[in-house]
Amino acid sequence: ASTTVLKILRRENLCEQVKPLGDQLKQKLISELGQHSLVAEIRGKGLLIGVEIVKEKEGLISFDEKDKITNKVVNKGLENGVFFYPGGTGEYRDIICLGPAFIINDEDIDLMVSSLKKSLDYVKSKYL
C-alpha cells in the first residue's frame, strides 16, 4: 500500500501542488507566532512544520521534562479543534508538529494557527 501511495504522489505531482499551501501555513505561523515568547523556531518544508517551544526565548531555556509542555499544548489544541502531534527528543523535546492533509484550505490554516496560539497562550498563563 505504501509503495502505491508513493507512486501516486509522484505521478500526480501532489507535493508540488501543495507547496503553496505549505508556504502559506508557514508564513502565517511566522507572522502570528514568530514573536511569541514561547516559540524558539518555526521550521519545516511543505505541509510538515515544527514549532519549537521553550520556557525562555532569551537563552533558549527549555521547560523541565517533567512539565510535559508538549502534551499540554497538544491537548489544548484538541480542545480548540486541531490535532497537533508531539515531536522532538532529548534537548529539543518540546516540538509541536503540524502535518495537515493535502486538502487543507485557507480556513483550516487560520484555524490551525489560532488554535496553536490559544494553546501556547494557555500554557504561558498556567505554567509560567
Side-chain angles (χ1 to χ4, degrees):
S2 60
T3 301
T4 302
V5 168
L6 291 173
K7 286 179 184 177
I8 292 169
L9 283 169
R10 287 186 190 114
R11 182 183 68 227
E12 297 185 17
N13 204 24
L14 292 177
C15 290
E16 282 304 311
Q17 288 183 38
V18 299
K19 185 181 181 315
L21 292 170
D23 293 343
Q24 180 183 345
L25 175 57
K26 188 172 179 184
Q27 284 308 315
K28 182 109 178 163
L29 286 165
I30 290 169
S31 172
E32 299 288 324
L33 298 174
Q35 297 305 311
H36 196 286
S37 63
L38 300 184
V39 175
E41 186 177 12
I42 299 167
R43 57 186 175 266
K45 186 173 182 177
L47 287 174
L48 186 57
I49 299 173
V51 178
E52 184 178 349
I53 308 300
V54 291
K55 185 173 186 175
E56 293 179 34
K57 198 171 196 168
E58 186 72 31
L60 300 176
I61 298 169
S62 299
F63 282 94
D64 192 299
E65 192 170 0
K66 70 177 172 35
D67 293 332
K68 299 185 186 297
I69 291 301
T70 302
N71 291 341
K72 289 174 173 59
V73 173
V74 169
N75 289 336
K76 201 63 177 170
L78 283 171
E79 290 177 23
N80 292 320
V82 177
F83 174 70
F84 304 113
Y85 55 98
T89 59
E91 185 179 346
Y92 304 103
R93 69 184 160 278
D94 290 325
I95 310 287
I96 304 301
C97 299
L98 294 82
F102 282 15
I103 59 169
I104 192 171
N105 60 36
D106 292 346
E107 288 178 26
D108 297 328
I109 289 172
D110 290 344
L111 176 62
M112 290 178 77
V113 173
S114 69
S115 175
L116 184 53
K117 183 174 185 330
K118 288 176 189 174
S119 300
L120 292 172
D121 289 345
Y122 169 79
V123 165
K124 183 178 177 178
S125 70
K126 276 295 228 199
Y127 301 98
L128 288 180

mmCIF file of all heavy atoms in Angstrom, residues 33-56:
data_model
loop_
_atom_site.group_PDB
_atom_site.id
_atom_site.type_symbol
_atom_site.label_atom_id
_atom_site.label_comp_id
_atom_site.label_asym_id
_atom_site.label_seq_id
_atom_site.Cartn_x
_atom_site.Cartn_y
_atom_site.Cartn_z
ATOM 1 N N LEU A 33 3.005 33.831 15.214
ATOM 2 C CA LEU A 33 3.648 33.222 16.385
ATOM 3 C C LEU A 33 5.155 33.432 16.452
ATOM 4 O O LEU A 33 5.782 33.054 17.438
ATOM 5 C CB LEU A 33 3.362 31.713 16.418
ATOM 6 C CG LEU A 33 1.902 31.316 16.544
ATOM 7 C CD1 LEU A 33 1.741 29.816 16.414
ATOM 8 C CD2 LEU A 33 1.341 31.799 17.866
ATOM 9 N N GLY A 34 5.728 34.011 15.428
ATOM 10 C CA GLY A 34 7.180 34.162 15.381
ATOM 11 C C GLY A 34 7.749 34.955 16.547
ATOM 12 O O GLY A 34 8.875 34.705 16.973
ATOM 13 N N GLN A 35 6.978 35.893 17.073
ATOM 14 C CA GLN A 35 7.446 36.710 18.193
ATOM 15 C C GLN A 35 6.891 36.248 19.540
ATOM 16 O O GLN A 35 7.127 36.890 20.564
ATOM 17 C CB GLN A 35 7.074 38.179 17.949
ATOM 18 C CG GLN A 35 7.729 38.776 16.719
ATOM 19 C CD GLN A 35 9.241 38.641 16.749
ATOM 20 O OE1 GLN A 35 9.884 38.968 17.746
ATOM 21 N NE2 GLN A 35 9.814 38.147 15.669
ATOM 22 N N HIS A 36 6.145 35.139 19.537
ATOM 23 C CA HIS A 36 5.581 34.627 20.795
ATOM 24 C C HIS A 36 6.722 34.252 21.738
ATOM 25 O O HIS A 36 7.717 33.670 21.319
ATOM 26 C CB HIS A 36 4.693 33.405 20.513
ATOM 27 C CG HIS A 36 3.798 33.054 21.648
ATOM 28 N ND1 HIS A 36 4.255 32.447 22.797
ATOM 29 C CD2 HIS A 36 2.470 33.235 21.815
ATOM 30 C CE1 HIS A 36 3.234 32.257 23.616
ATOM 31 N NE2 HIS A 36 2.137 32.734 23.046
ATOM 32 N N SER A 37 6.582 34.578 23.003
ATOM 33 C CA SER A 37 7.663 34.357 23.965
ATOM 34 C C SER A 37 8.021 32.888 24.170
ATOM 35 O O SER A 37 9.110 32.582 24.650
ATOM 36 C CB SER A 37 7.311 34.995 25.308
ATOM 37 O OG SER A 37 6.166 34.380 25.863
ATOM 38 N N LEU A 38 7.140 31.964 23.812
ATOM 39 C CA LEU A 38 7.436 30.541 23.962
ATOM 40 C C LEU A 38 7.955 29.886 22.689
ATOM 41 O O LEU A 38 8.333 28.720 22.718
ATOM 42 C CB LEU A 38 6.178 29.787 24.424
ATOM 43 C CG LEU A 38 5.555 30.204 25.754
ATOM 44 C CD1 LEU A 38 4.387 29.284 26.097
ATOM 45 C CD2 LEU A 38 6.572 30.212 26.875
ATOM 46 N N VAL A 39 7.976 30.597 21.587
ATOM 47 C CA VAL A 39 8.371 30.000 20.305
ATOM 48 C C VAL A 39 9.827 30.323 20.008
ATOM 49 O O VAL A 39 10.200 31.484 19.824
ATOM 50 C CB VAL A 39 7.466 30.494 19.156
ATOM 51 C CG1 VAL A 39 7.953 29.970 17.821
ATOM 52 C CG2 VAL A 39 6.022 30.062 19.408
ATOM 53 N N ALA A 40 10.648 29.265 19.967
ATOM 54 C CA ALA A 40 12.066 29.436 19.656
ATOM 55 C C ALA A 40 12.280 29.466 18.150
ATOM 56 O O ALA A 40 13.064 30.263 17.647
ATOM 57 C CB ALA A 40 12.885 28.307 20.265
ATOM 58 N N GLU A 41 11.583 28.588 17.431
ATOM 59 C CA GLU A 41 11.801 28.488 15.986
ATOM 60 C C GLU A 41 10.607 27.820 15.323
ATOM 61 O O GLU A 41 9.953 26.952 15.912
ATOM 62 C CB GLU A 41 13.070 27.680 15.707
ATOM 63 C CG GLU A 41 13.462 27.643 14.263
ATOM 64 C CD GLU A 41 14.770 26.902 14.014
ATOM 65 O OE1 GLU A 41 15.281 26.215 14.915
ATOM 66 O OE2 GLU A 41 15.268 27.017 12.885
ATOM 67 N N ILE A 42 10.350 28.234 14.106
ATOM 68 C CA ILE A 42 9.339 27.609 13.257
ATOM 69 C C ILE A 42 10.085 27.111 12.026
ATOM 70 O O ILE A 42 10.716 27.899 11.328
ATOM 71 C CB ILE A 42 8.236 28.612 12.868
ATOM 72 C CG1 ILE A 42 7.524 29.118 14.127
ATOM 73 C CG2 ILE A 42 7.248 27.972 11.891
ATOM 74 C CD1 ILE A 42 6.635 30.324 13.912
ATOM 75 N N ARG A 43 10.052 25.809 11.794
ATOM 76 C CA ARG A 43 10.822 25.255 10.688
ATOM 77 C C ARG A 43 10.053 24.135 10.013
ATOM 78 O O ARG A 43 9.146 23.554 10.593
ATOM 79 C CB ARG A 43 12.182 24.763 11.170
ATOM 80 C CG ARG A 43 12.105 23.724 12.276
ATOM 81 C CD ARG A 43 13.511 23.385 12.798
ATOM 82 N NE ARG A 43 13.493 22.480 13.924
ATOM 83 C CZ ARG A 43 13.505 22.853 15.198
ATOM 84 N NH1 ARG A 43 13.544 24.145 15.507
ATOM 85 N NH2 ARG A 43 13.491 21.972 16.163
ATOM 86 N N GLY A 44 10.428 23.852 8.803
ATOM 87 C CA GLY A 44 9.802 22.764 8.082
ATOM 88 C C GLY A 44 9.776 23.035 6.599
ATOM 89 O O GLY A 44 10.271 24.052 6.108
ATOM 90 N N LYS A 45 9.180 22.095 5.899
ATOM 91 C CA LYS A 45 9.077 22.189 4.452
ATOM 92 C C LYS A 45 7.729 21.620 4.036
ATOM 93 O O LYS A 45 7.281 20.609 4.570
ATOM 94 C CB LYS A 45 10.217 21.399 3.800
ATOM 95 C CG LYS A 45 10.279 21.552 2.305
ATOM 96 C CD LYS A 45 11.528 20.893 1.753
ATOM 97 C CE LYS A 45 11.572 21.126 0.253
ATOM 98 N NZ LYS A 45 12.792 20.574 -0.323
ATOM 99 N N GLY A 46 7.116 22.293 3.082
ATOM 100 C CA GLY A 46 5.807 21.836 2.631
ATOM 101 C C GLY A 46 4.802 21.928 3.762
ATOM 102 O O GLY A 46 4.780 22.903 4.508
ATOM 103 N N LEU A 47 4.009 20.895 3.892
ATOM 104 C CA LEU A 47 2.990 20.871 4.943
ATOM 105 C C LEU A 47 3.459 20.181 6.225
ATOM 106 O O LEU A 47 2.648 19.919 7.115
ATOM 107 C CB LEU A 47 1.714 20.201 4.420
ATOM 108 C CG LEU A 47 0.911 21.030 3.430
ATOM 109 C CD1 LEU A 47 -0.245 20.211 2.855
ATOM 110 C CD2 LEU A 47 0.384 22.302 4.063
ATOM 111 N N LEU A 48 4.743 19.903 6.326
ATOM 112 C CA LEU A 48 5.287 19.317 7.554
ATOM 113 C C LEU A 48 6.122 20.386 8.248
ATOM 114 O O LEU A 48 7.216 20.737 7.814
ATOM 115 C CB LEU A 48 6.139 18.087 7.248
ATOM 116 C CG LEU A 48 6.648 17.320 8.456
ATOM 117 C CD1 LEU A 48 5.488 16.868 9.353
ATOM 118 C CD2 LEU A 48 7.456 16.114 8.017
ATOM 119 N N ILE A 49 5.562 20.928 9.333
ATOM 120 C CA ILE A 49 6.173 22.065 10.017
ATOM 121 C C ILE A 49 6.279 21.763 11.505
ATOM 122 O O ILE A 49 5.373 21.188 12.108
ATOM 123 C CB ILE A 49 5.338 23.345 9.783
ATOM 124 C CG1 ILE A 49 5.297 23.651 8.284
ATOM 125 C CG2 ILE A 49 5.902 24.521 10.570
ATOM 126 C CD1 ILE A 49 4.387 24.780 7.893
ATOM 127 N N GLY A 50 7.393 22.182 12.098
ATOM 128 C CA GLY A 50 7.608 22.037 13.527
ATOM 129 C C GLY A 50 7.760 23.390 14.186
ATOM 130 O O GLY A 50 8.379 24.297 13.628
ATOM 131 N N VAL A 51 7.184 23.516 15.369
ATOM 132 C CA VAL A 51 7.294 24.743 16.156
ATOM 133 C C VAL A 51 7.971 24.356 17.465
ATOM 134 O O VAL A 51 7.421 23.582 18.247
ATOM 135 C CB VAL A 51 5.909 25.374 16.418
ATOM 136 C CG1 VAL A 51 6.037 26.622 17.270
ATOM 137 C CG2 VAL A 51 5.192 25.672 15.106
ATOM 138 N N GLU A 52 9.180 24.881 17.675
ATOM 139 C CA GLU A 52 9.924 24.566 18.887
ATOM 140 C C GLU A 52 9.494 25.492 20.014
ATOM 141 O O GLU A 52 9.494 26.715 19.866
ATOM 142 C CB GLU A 52 11.422 24.700 18.648
ATOM 143 C CG GLU A 52 12.250 24.291 19.848
ATOM 144 C CD GLU A 52 13.744 24.377 19.598
ATOM 145 O OE1 GLU A 52 14.171 24.546 18.449
ATOM 146 O OE2 GLU A 52 14.485 24.285 20.597
ATOM 147 N N ILE A 53 9.140 24.891 21.146
ATOM 148 C CA ILE A 53 8.639 25.611 22.310
ATOM 149 C C ILE A 53 9.738 25.665 23.374
ATOM 150 O O ILE A 53 10.386 24.651 23.653
ATOM 151 C CB ILE A 53 7.399 24.893 22.909
ATOM 152 C CG1 ILE A 53 6.349 24.626 21.846
ATOM 153 C CG2 ILE A 53 6.835 25.667 24.091
ATOM 154 C CD1 ILE A 53 5.826 25.837 21.164
ATOM 155 N N VAL A 54 9.935 26.839 23.965
ATOM 156 C CA VAL A 54 10.908 26.996 25.048
ATOM 157 C C VAL A 54 10.273 27.786 26.193
ATOM 158 O O VAL A 54 9.326 28.541 25.995
ATOM 159 C CB VAL A 54 12.188 27.723 24.573
ATOM 160 C CG1 VAL A 54 12.999 26.865 23.626
ATOM 161 C CG2 VAL A 54 11.874 29.067 23.969
ATOM 162 N N LYS A 55 10.829 27.588 27.365
ATOM 163 C CA LYS A 55 10.346 28.309 28.544
ATOM 164 C C LYS A 55 10.759 29.771 28.467
ATOM 165 O O LYS A 55 9.977 30.668 28.801
ATOM 166 C CB LYS A 55 10.913 27.663 29.815
ATOM 167 C CG LYS A 55 10.390 28.237 31.091
ATOM 168 C CD LYS A 55 10.887 27.423 32.279
ATOM 169 C CE LYS A 55 10.247 27.901 33.563
ATOM 170 N NZ LYS A 55 10.648 27.042 34.691
ATOM 171 N N GLU A 56 11.999 29.996 28.051
ATOM 172 C CA GLU A 56 12.518 31.356 27.916
ATOM 173 C C GLU A 56 13.215 31.481 26.571
ATOM 174 O O GLU A 56 14.187 30.786 26.308
ATOM 175 C CB GLU A 56 13.499 31.678 29.040
ATOM 176 C CG GLU A 56 12.859 31.738 30.411
ATOM 177 C CD GLU A 56 13.866 32.034 31.501
ATOM 178 O OE1 GLU A 56 14.825 32.786 31.248
ATOM 179 O OE2 GLU A 56 13.683 31.496 32.602
#
